[in-house]
Amino acid sequence: MEVPPDLILYNGSLHTLDEQTPFATAVAVTGKRISALGTDRDLLGLAGVATRTKDLKKRLVLPGFCDTHFHFYEWAMNYDSIDFSKTINFSGMETAIREKAAQSGPGQWVLGQGFNESEWPENKMPDRKDLDRAAPDNPVCIWRCDLHLAVANSLALKLARIDEQTKDPDEGVIVRNADGSPTGVLKELAANLIREVIPQLSESILLGNMEKAIAHAHLLGVTSVHDIRLMGGGEGADALKLWQTLEASGRLNLRCQVALPGEMTDQAIALGLQSGFGNDRLKIGHLKFFSDGGMGARTGWLTQKYLDAEYGMPLTPVNQIEAAVIKADRAGLACMVHAIGDRACREIIAMFERVEQQNQSRCRIPHRMEHLQMILPEDLEKLSRLENLAVSCQPNNLSLDISMIDECVGPRGKYAYALKSILNTGVPMCLSSDAPVADPNPFAGIYSAVTRKRMNKTPVHGWYPEQVLSVAEAVRAYTLTPAQTSCCDHMLGSITPGKLADLVVADQNIFEISKDAIAETQICLTLFDGKIVYER
Ligand SMILES: [Zn+2]
């Protein structure tokens, strides 16, 4: 006789993404797997004495979300720093710094991230003097929401020994006044000069932060992440060690595919590491490369000048990325390349074309392009011909970037966040948050993708509304497509008997309500590996 299920969720509205049974009202879970799908009557009939049953009161059930571009380690590490994502003007930023400095005491580092000056009425970039006024006795460093630019105060610059004499690092810019003195604004890798002097947290604090961050992910319905590397190699080893410690101690209640820093290509090949190695919780993902910067810092690499700056900048030269990708591809290591500007996208698509022509790939998972924030129609055409590539785009950033993109490229903004055109190429498209660059809430991402509005619901008809996705397309890009492009769709990505029971219950049905209300959707219940890890 069959074992009765441990849990039956019934009277729900299941959007399964399962081809055979796209809709159902009940699901049974046995151990960590989904054991049956169907009607309330059929499934409740399977219940045994020990089976728990839960009436969902018609609520929507979806597969657990996978955020495919999440700087999870970075997000967790900054749990204690100032979050400027809700700061609405310049003085709000100054007040937050002043308060944090007062709480921390003189000499302590004050860190923050997520400011977006292009959305403030003053539209003014802060500089060292502004931060000095707010916190003269603390080293202060704050990151812009895109993480491509940081601003440091005088004390932080002094500790990092950044002055008139300091040369710009490779792939970075120390912005200067007419007399050569630093303004405090540090673009791209110049911000790492500050990172290097910020004291490290202890392992127990780091692990505690990771656990808090995992619990936060459950509250958002996120059951899988791809943890993405930032620039600078050191962070990769720290992150991978922490993930392993969590996994070994049974505290890893999240499926994580960890990216490796591109600078470590040779070492990873020498060790024989391959993408996909690991288990259903922790896996080796892609090597991460950067072909350009971000548009907010005007370092995203464009085919035509910015209205208020030059062409942006390539970061790692394309030929260098190409040499690494060719080696990695032969060794079974998939690569992901950050490409923001239309020029960067063009170059990287051409690069992947050359790699496909000359290589017999040994990768178990496709390569990836990240962001494709601005891409021209002729390059979309080329993208559609690539066979071993997936993309990950960030609708949450769209909501943050509308004003900034209008300001820096004007009407060419119609090529930005061209999600529908990208989807139409047939290339598998995942959606993701790029947190902490943007809010990691998947419903905020789905809202942005289907409305193309700011969080305050402007512009009313959406920004270039011809590029909106349907709700079903957006949901698929957060669930099934990530599983299919990480060689785990045999166990994840849809509510299908036999797959792992990662699923979420939402408080409203996003397929039925007004699209404008989707961002306010909240998770009522998160099931991970068959266990309830969050319940409201
Ligand atoms: Zn990123």
Side-chain angles (χ1 to χ4, degrees), residues 69 71 147 228-230 288 290 338 371 394 434-435 437:
H69 190 116
H71 300 281
L147 300 179
I228 308 299
R229 302 281 63 84
L230 285 170
K288 171 82 189 284
F290 286 85
H338 162 117
H371 311 304
Q394 292 77 32
D434 205 6
V437 171

